[in-house]
């Protein structure tokens, strides 16, 4: 696909680039995906948290992360009962409404609710709607071999959808593209960690988030253009509390909420859209690329409440994350009705209590529009720390 | 006279014996707790009793402990305690009741529950894994996640010999061997494959019996109520899986049900409406919930709960005891996958029952506590209505939390449903 799907930022100054990214993130009509399809491209929609996008990319598809949208579930509401998180409904909504058109859909058994999505999708759409069974026993000696088999099964489905063979060489090339993307995202997070005054919280988030809606080559170009400009910014450090945000691994808080938090503290690290940053090192580009991706998922990866791994106890991982970025405090959130997130809050806060680290506990919903009360609470929390 | 004598001994035997076995089981757990012995904590969808029995570990089903607090109408005390500890009102009530039970040192209305020595959780429910992590933190015990890949899409259950099936089976088999090694380590006992063969034989007897019992409810009138009687049988299917007593119980249950079918003895004297239950029972008002249907001469002739909450034993899978580990891997894969299909992809199975079981309607009972079972039910119901034109009722409540149960509202909706069924019958001229 030679045509650009996200040309708006090109040739513009940094502030306008960042504005274009924020606009795209908040646009519920998926203009970049529409352009991709209008040019004849196929789209693989995958639900949170992690998906081996390299496999779809190698087939020439656009992998699009379904991570919810702040819309009313007018069409989707009657497909669900009560007591469910918003992201399930809004993700189905944009597809039922026709705003987002897919050629295949993949979900993962990340939680009790989301694991139903492939079945729901399958009853409503004719294209392949599958569950990708990422290993839940990461500690089994057979988990990597199993996952490679599972990825190859996915690869065959992708081949059926696109009608083209997905060669090893093609996947290796895609791995290289994604390696660069992961490296650039690590650079962005390094800026957040070391000089958070150079990039606003909502801008850092938007820069990551647009990657889920455009080809990675375009995302790489964007980040290559933006990151040097960020580091050259003439911005002054302020006396603010350094905070880690935890609880954004699936449903995403609204951009306005991230902006509000960024006004009250420095968000120096987080788990927002962790699936796009799940693999923490380069994946080898030689050898069997599918086996390499499987190995990286199990052994070279981050953590989240939806993956059990005896080597990565979540509260210990949070403390490590906080230590690495010299955080003073944590914001421990969960999306409303998010079972794994709400359960993990107890473990996180117990560990933080034990370490005598201050924290702020909250819940959010992707379609929240008012933050006055929350802002007052967060400000009070930060002021208490600043003036303690 | 002979028939009456036989009925005196046979009819209702499954319920009587099941209830007694259940009490015996809890007594044995109390005894273990009092002696300071530790147990294996497991779950109903893939308990792996077959392995754990080989190490003579007492088996604790925290889901059953929790639901018993609801049946005994004290769940709210446990829920409140867990919420005070920090758990959200919006998470699984079973988890919270168990957290409170652990905080109380195992004190349960039916006795004392031993502490865990090991926890085994399948991925059939994600909350199983989060739940086991709680014990890992509380007791520093090993948590073993038995990861069983399910069907990738509707109607995509792979079969033995197919590439994707064999990939999954190898993964399950490797994990079973790893579980055995962990059990050897925590118990200090050597694994005995002949003991496994014996246990598999008992499980075969149980699985075959369970499948047959469910099939016998095709009869009119239905010999048992899938919601009430079925839940008693289910307790035995879980607590006594892999035991001689468990195997024999189901053989005898088949005998009872065959007798009832032969003599047209139903769970209701006048059976008017035959219903399928989809979801998890409303334990806080367990008997009353059922009465709201039986008052209209409606009986539950089957239930997806009896499928998934038996870990897929309804499939009737029989292990090949000549290749025990390999066959156990196949059985775990096929049965647990079936349990997951019963929650996510149940339409084909339900559709296939409408004529076979003479079904008049489907009752969907999604609950706040369990998103695994409940998330897809509204959409599934839409699909069933469109494809099969089968009347259905969608009534939401909970399996633990009486705060979200409104009996009056429930009754209104159930009454309206039956009035609709009645009117539909009259329109079609069927009486």
């Amino acid at each position: 696909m030679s045509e650009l799907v996200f040309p708006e930022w090109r040739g513009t100054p940094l502030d306008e680039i960042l504005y274009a990214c924020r606009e795209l993130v908040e646009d519920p009509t998926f203009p970049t995906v529409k352009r991709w399809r209008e040019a004849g491209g196929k789209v693989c929609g995958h639900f949170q948290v992690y998906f081996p996008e390299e496999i779809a990319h190698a087939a020439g598809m656009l992998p699009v992360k379904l991570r919810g949208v702040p819309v009313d579930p007018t069409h989707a509401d009657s497909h669900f009962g009560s007591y469910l998180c918003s992201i399930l409904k809004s993700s189905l909504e944009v597809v039922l409404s026709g705003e987002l058109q897919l050629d295949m859909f993949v979900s993962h058994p990340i939680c009790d609710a989301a694991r139903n999505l492939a079945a729901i999708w399958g009853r409503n759409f004719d294209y392949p709607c599958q569950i990708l069974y990422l290993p839940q026993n990461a500690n089994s000696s057979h988990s990597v071999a199993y996952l490679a088999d599972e990825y190859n099964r996915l690869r065959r489905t992708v081949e059926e959808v696109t009608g083209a063979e997905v060669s090893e060489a093609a996947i290796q090339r895609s791995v290289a593209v994604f390696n660069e993307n992961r490296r650039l995202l690590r650079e962005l997070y390094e800026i957040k960690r070391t000089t958070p005054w150079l990039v606003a919280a909502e801008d850092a988030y938007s820069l990551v988030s647009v990657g889920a809606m455009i080809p990675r080559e375009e995302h790489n170009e964007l980040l290559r253009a933006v990151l040097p400009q960020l580091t050259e910014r003439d911005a002054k450090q302020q006396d603010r509390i350094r905070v880690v945000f935890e609880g954004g691994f699936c449903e995403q808080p609204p951009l306005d909420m991230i902006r509000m938090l960024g006004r009250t503290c420095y968000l120096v690290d987080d788990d927002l859209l962790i699936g796009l940053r799940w693999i923490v090192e380069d994946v080898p580009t030689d050898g069997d690329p599918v086996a390499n991706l499987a190995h990286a998922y199990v052994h070279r990866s981050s953590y989240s409440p939806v993956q059990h791994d005896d080597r990565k106890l979540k509260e210990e991982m949070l403390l490590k994350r906080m230590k690495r970025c010299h955080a003073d405090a944590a914001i421990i959130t969960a999306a409303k009705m998010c079972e794994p997130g709400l359960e993990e809050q107890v473990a996180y806060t117990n560990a933080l209590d034990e370490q005598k680290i201050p924290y702020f506990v909250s819940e959010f919903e992707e379609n929240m529009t008012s933050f006055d009360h929350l802002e007052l609470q967060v400000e009070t929390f930060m002021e208490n720390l600043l003036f303690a | 006279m002979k028939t009456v004598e036989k009925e005196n001994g046979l009819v209702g035997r499954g319920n009587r014996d099941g209830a007694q076995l259940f009490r015996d089981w809890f007594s044995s757990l109390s005894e273990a707790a009092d002696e300071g012995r530790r147990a294996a904590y497991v779950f109903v969808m893939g308990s792996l009793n077959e392995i754990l029995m080989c190490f003579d570990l007492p088996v604790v089903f925290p889901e059953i402990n929790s639901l018993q607090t609801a049946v005994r109408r004290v769940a709210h005390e446990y829920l409140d305690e867990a919420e005070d500890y920090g758990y959200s009102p919006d998470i699984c009530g079973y988890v919270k009741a168990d957290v409170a039970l652990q905080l109380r040192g195992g004190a349960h209305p039916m006795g004392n529950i031993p502490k865990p020595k090991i926890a085994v959780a399948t991925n059939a429910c994600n909350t199983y894994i989060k739940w086991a992590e709680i014990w890992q933190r509380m007791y520093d015990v090993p948590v073993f996640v038995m990861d069983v890949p399910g069907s990738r899409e509707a109607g995509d259950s792979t079969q033995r010999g197919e590439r994707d099936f064999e990939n999954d089976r190898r993964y399950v088999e490797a994990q079973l061997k790893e579980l055995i090694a962990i059990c050897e380590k925590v118990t200090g006992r050597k694994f005995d494959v002949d003991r496994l063969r014996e246990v598999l034989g008992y499980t075969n007897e149980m699985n075959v019996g369970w499948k047959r019992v469910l099939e016998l409810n095709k009869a009119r009138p239905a010999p048992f109520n899938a919601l009430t009687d079925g839940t008693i049988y289910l307790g035995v299917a879980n607590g006594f899986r892999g035991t001689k007593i468990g195997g024999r119980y189901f053989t005898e249950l088949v005998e009872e049900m065959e007798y009832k079918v032969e003599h047209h003895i139903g769970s209701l004297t006048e059976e008017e409406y035959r219903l399928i239950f989809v979801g998890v029972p409303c334990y806080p008002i367990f008997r009353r919930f059922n009465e709201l249907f039986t008052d209209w001469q409606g009986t539950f002739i089957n239930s997806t709960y009896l499928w998934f909450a038996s870990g897929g034993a309804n499939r009737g899978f029989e292990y090949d005891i000549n290749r025990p580990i390999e066959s156990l891997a196949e059985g775990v894969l096929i049965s647990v996958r079936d349990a997951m299909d019963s929650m996510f992809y149940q339409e084909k199975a339900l559709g296939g029952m409408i004529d076979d079981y003479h079904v008049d309607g489907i009752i969907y009972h999604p609950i706040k506590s369990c998103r695994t079972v409940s998330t897809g039910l509204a959409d599934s119901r839409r699909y069933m209505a469109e494809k099969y034109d089968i009347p259905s009722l969608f009534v939401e409540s909970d399996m633990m939390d009486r705060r979200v149960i409104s009996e009056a509202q429930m009754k209104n909706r159930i009454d309206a449903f039956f009035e609709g069924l009645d009117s539909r019958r009259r329109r079609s001229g069927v009486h």
Side-chain angles (χ1 to χ4, degrees), chain B residues 59-326:
Chain B
V59 178
V60 166
F61 285 83
E63 292 156 293
I64 296 175
N65 298 342
S66 293
L67 75 86
Q68 282 297 327
T69 66
V71 171
R72 284 153 205 281
R73 297 176 185 268
V74 292
H76 58 285
E77 297 172 17
Y78 288 78
L79 297 180
D80 288 348
E81 194 168 333
E83 287 173 17
D84 287 345
Y85 183 75
Y87 285 97
S88 164
D90 297 325
I91 68 158
C92 171
Y94 280 179
V95 172
K96 284 186 290 190
D98 176 68
V99 166
L101 182 136
Q102 302 302 336
L103 294 173
R104 293 177 178 199
H108 185 273
M110 292 186 73
N112 291 324
I113 305 299
K115 291 183 170 53
K117 197 180 191 80
I118 181 174
V120 180
T122 66
N123 60 314
C125 162
N126 290 64
T127 297
Y128 284 176
I129 301 170
K130 304 303 294 173
W131 195 344
E133 288 175 350
I134 295 173
W135 303 321
Q136 191 173 34
R137 290 173 181 123
M138 279 184 169
Y139 299 109
D140 194 23
V141 292
V143 165
F144 188 86
V145 176
M146 172 56 71
D147 191 17
V148 184
S151 299
R152 277 30 175 224
E153 57 187 315
D156 183 38
S157 291
T158 53
Q159 305 299 319
R160 188 193 297 174
E162 293 176 14
R163 172 170 50 180
D164 291 336
F165 180 91
E166 294 304 322
N167 289 341
D168 292 348
R169 188 196 55 73
R170 277 195 298 274
Y171 181 37
V172 173
E173 187 174 333
Q175 293 177 86
L176 285 174
K177 288 174 181 168
E178 289 166 346
L179 174 61
I180 288 169
I182 291 174
C183 287
E184 285 184 325
K185 194 174 168 189
V186 299
T187 62
R189 291 176 60 162
K190 195 84 186 139
F191 173 67
D192 178 356
V193 73
D194 288 328
R195 172 79 173 118
L196 177 64
R197 287 194 175 95
E198 183 189 351
V199 168
L200 294 182
Y202 298 141
T203 310
N204 282 347
E205 186 181 359
M206 176 181 276
N207 286 353
V208 169
W210 190 219
K211 183 169 185 249
R212 177 71 181 141
V213 165
L214 295 175
E215 285 168 353
L216 284 166
N217 242 16
K218 285 178 185 170
R220 305 181 81 160
F224 72 95
N225 182 314
L227 187 63
T228 51
D229 306 322
T231 301
I232 295 172
Y233 313 152
L234 189 60
V236 180
N238 283 306
F240 292 84
R241 186 176 175 84
T243 66
K244 190 173 182 178
I245 295 171
R248 193 178 61 212
Y249 174 86
F250 275 91
T251 300
E252 290 177 353
L253 190 60
V254 170
E255 186 190 11
E256 178 189 341
M257 294 305 144
E258 284 178 342
Y259 178 84
K260 290 176 80 173
V261 170
E262 192 184 333
H263 293 83
H264 305 287
I265 302 169
S267 70
L268 287 178
T269 316
E270 298 292 331
E271 180 185 279
E272 276 292 323
Y273 300 104
R274 295 168 61 84
L275 308 167
I276 299 178
F277 181 85
V278 178
V280 178
C282 183
Y283 283 118
I285 54 165
F286 186 59
R287 291 282 159 192
R288 181 62 191 142
F289 182 89
N290 184 59
E291 283 166 7
L292 295 174
F293 295 89
T294 54
D295 285 351
W296 284 87
Q297 283 79 50
T299 191
F300 292 101
I301 50 89
N302 213 323
S303 156
T304 59
Y305 189 56
L306 300 184
W307 309 345
F308 61 77
S310 68
N314 55 298
R315 288 269 314 205
F317 186 89
E318 290 182 75
Y319 299 113
D320 179 352
I321 58 173
N322 294 315
R323 44 183 193 99
I325 301 284
E326 188 187 342

Side-chain angles (χ1 to χ4, degrees), chain B residues 22-73:
Chain B
F22 208 66
R23 285 192 291 273
D24 293 347
W25 176 37
F26 269 84
S27 296
S28 72
L29 291 178
S30 257
E31 204 176 294
D34 296 343
E35 291 170 4
R37 283 186 283 135
R38 290 205 168 203
Y41 277 27
V42 300
F43 297 96
V44 298
M45 292 190 286
S47 66
L48 278 305
N49 257 15
E50 290 87 337
I51 297 288
L52 300 168
M53 284 287 157
C54 297
F55 296 92
D56 291 328
L57 279 162
V59 178
V60 166
F61 285 83
E63 292 156 293
I64 296 175
N65 298 342
S66 293
L67 75 86
Q68 282 297 327
T69 66
V71 171
R72 284 153 205 281
R73 297 176 185 268

Side-chain angles (χ1 to χ4, degrees), chain A residues 312-330:
Chain A
K312 297 191 279 191
L313 296 179
K314 266 74 79 177
E315 57 271 43
E316 287 179 10
M317 297 302 286
L318 169 63
L319 294 175
K320 276 185 194 167
R321 174 176 276 164
M322 294 187 71
K323 192 173 176 188
R324 191 177 53 177
C325 62
H326 309 290
D328 307 303

Side-chain angles (χ1 to χ4, degrees), chain A residues 78-79 82-83 109 112 115 123-124 130-131 136-137 140-141 150 156 305 308 314-315 339 344, chain B residues 92 123 126-127 130 133 136-137 145 147 150 152-153 163-164 175 178 347 371-372 379 382 396:
Chain A
S78 62
H79 293 259
S82 313
Y83 314 119
D112 297 338
R115 65 186 310 169
R123 288 190 287 266
N124 289 279
Q130 295 191 348
I131 302 177
Q136 286 281 22
N137 185 353
S140 169
S141 60
E150 180 67 348
R156 293 194 297 275
H308 174 80
K314 266 74 79 177
E315 57 271 43
E339 180 115 21
E344 212 62 65
Chain B
C92 171
N123 60 314
N126 290 64
T127 297
K130 304 303 294 173
E133 288 175 350
Q136 191 173 34
R137 290 173 181 123
V145 176
D147 191 17
R152 277 30 175 224
E153 57 187 315
R163 172 170 50 180
D164 291 336
Q175 293 177 86
E178 289 166 346
E347 298 79 40
R371 294 173 177 95
T372 311
D379 185 73
R382 286 171 61 114
E396 290 184 289

Side-chain angles (χ1 to χ4, degrees), chain A residues 1 17 31 38 50 66-67 87 96 102 126 143 149 165 212 216 247 257 270 284 298 304 332 338 356 373 378 388:
Chain A
M1 201 78 45
I17 295 176
E38 281 160 11
Y50 173 79
L66 294 173
R67 79 277 192 260
I87 184 174
L96 286 174
L102 307 178
D126 292 333
S143 63
D149 288 334
E165 186 196 352
R216 279 303 192 287
M257 179 173 154
D270 56 60
V298 175
S304 91
I332 306 296
C338 169
K356 297 188 169 48
H373 186 59
V378 175

Side-chain angles (χ1 to χ4, degrees), chain A residues 237-311:
Chain A
Q237 181 177 359
Q238 294 180 353
D239 190 16
R240 292 195 196 182
I241 300 294
R242 298 170 62 86
V243 173
V244 161
F245 179 97
E246 197 82 21
F249 57 93
C250 183
E251 184 168 323
Q252 300 299 291
L255 202 57
D256 283 342
M257 179 173 154
I258 297 172
R259 182 181 290 116
M260 178 274 286
L261 294 174
R263 277 199 302 265
T264 56
C265 63
Y266 285 137
L267 286 183
V268 288
D269 206 345
D270 56 60
D271 66 344
L272 294 162
L273 292 168
I274 193 68
L276 294 174
R277 303 178 284 124
W278 181 255
I279 293 174
V280 294
E281 294 175 9
D282 280 0
V283 178
T285 49
D286 56 349
D288 179 349
V290 173
N292 290 341
L293 282 169
H295 185 271
Y297 174 83
V298 175
H299 294 300
R300 301 283 180 266
S301 50
S302 186
Y303 69 98
S304 91
V306 298
Q307 191 209 37
H308 174 80
D309 188 333
D310 285 334
R311 301 165 301 177

